[in-house]
Amino acid sequence: ARSLCKDYVADDKHIQAPRIDDLAYIAPNAVLVENVKIAEGASIWYNCVLRGDVGAIRIGKNTNIQDGTIVHVASPAEEGGESVDTIVGEGVTVGHMALLHACVLEDHSFVGMMACVMDGARVKTHGMLAAGALLTPGKVVGSGELWAGSPAKKKRDLTEAEIEAIHDSAERYRNLGEHYREGRTKEQFGKG
């Protein structure tokens, strides 16, 4: 199943179905609701929920959203106001059971397992948020920085090897998603 949501009309308002590129992988039990767009080579893994009901969620090319992650948007602060979308760029890795809420993850950034990125927060290109970290509203992880803790704070600059590992992770998950999308068996995995 590509999504557990279809186009429908409620209260004279058209509600759109998620838009998924044919070369993306969506796990059968992932839930994508309404205004969600998934780009080529992206992968959304088991038990993820992406709920674009009051704003947009955009997942970039070759990005992976790992098992159990929740992605949501923020409602308008006042009547007639604008919602705050969640935008995830290209080549991003989001670890298992993370929470992304009304935030931006720039291209080639990394969010560790069980980390939380709150409203208006941003992880810049080559930025890394450690596993279990809480990035509070409006905070920005700079390019080439590692932030950790609750609340998260800058711990140090990333090494060149760690920055390269961000790219490697995205590539591994792109390949893994391709294998799942094509229905290859365990024995076939890794053989082209």
Side-chain angles (χ1 to χ4, degrees), residues 129-162:
L129 184 64
L134 171 64
L135 191 61
T136 54
K139 295 291 184 185
V140 177
V141 174
S143 182
E145 295 178 354
L146 169 65
W147 284 45
S150 183
K153 295 182 171 124
K154 182 182 176 185
K155 298 300 181 183
R156 62 177 173 81
D157 290 333
L158 293 174
T159 66
E160 288 300 318
E162 289 167 329

Side-chain angles (χ1 to χ4, degrees), residues 13 54-55 74-85:
K13 179 181 175 189
V54 295
S75 299
E78 56 190 52
E79 178 108 16
E82 299 217 1
S83 61
V84 181
D85 300 335

Side-chain angles (χ1 to χ4, degrees), residues 176 179-180 183-192:
L176 186 60
H179 285 279
Y180 273 74
R184 294 184 190 172
T185 65
K186 182 177 179 181
E187 291 76 30
Q188 294 169 319
F189 183 75
K191 295 183 178 176

Side-chain angles (χ1 to χ4, degrees), residues 15-116:
I15 306 298
Q16 65 183 344
R19 291 168 289 160
I20 303 164
D21 187 276
D22 289 340
L23 296 178
Y25 172 70
I26 311 299
N29 68 345
V31 178
L32 310 180
V33 179
E34 297 184 31
N35 193 358
V36 177
K37 185 175 182 182
I38 310 295
E40 172 188 342
S43 56
I44 311 299
W45 294 91
Y46 298 93
N47 295 315
C48 287
V49 176
L50 285 73
R51 185 161 58 99
D53 53 353
V54 295
I57 295 172
R58 300 293 177 258
I59 306 298
K61 183 178 181 181
N62 299 329
T63 284
N64 61 90
I65 308 295
Q66 295 175 16
D67 310 64
T69 293
I70 305 295
V71 183
H72 195 225
V73 295
S75 299
E78 56 190 52
E79 178 108 16
E82 299 217 1
S83 61
V84 181
D85 300 335
T86 297
I87 308 299
V88 181
E90 295 185 5
V92 175
T93 291
V94 177
H96 306 286
M97 296 179 62
L99 171 61
L100 308 179
H101 197 270
C103 60
V104 174
L105 306 182
E106 294 183 4
D107 295 348
H108 309 292
S109 57
F110 184 99
V111 172
M113 292 185 271
M114 298 185 77
C116 177

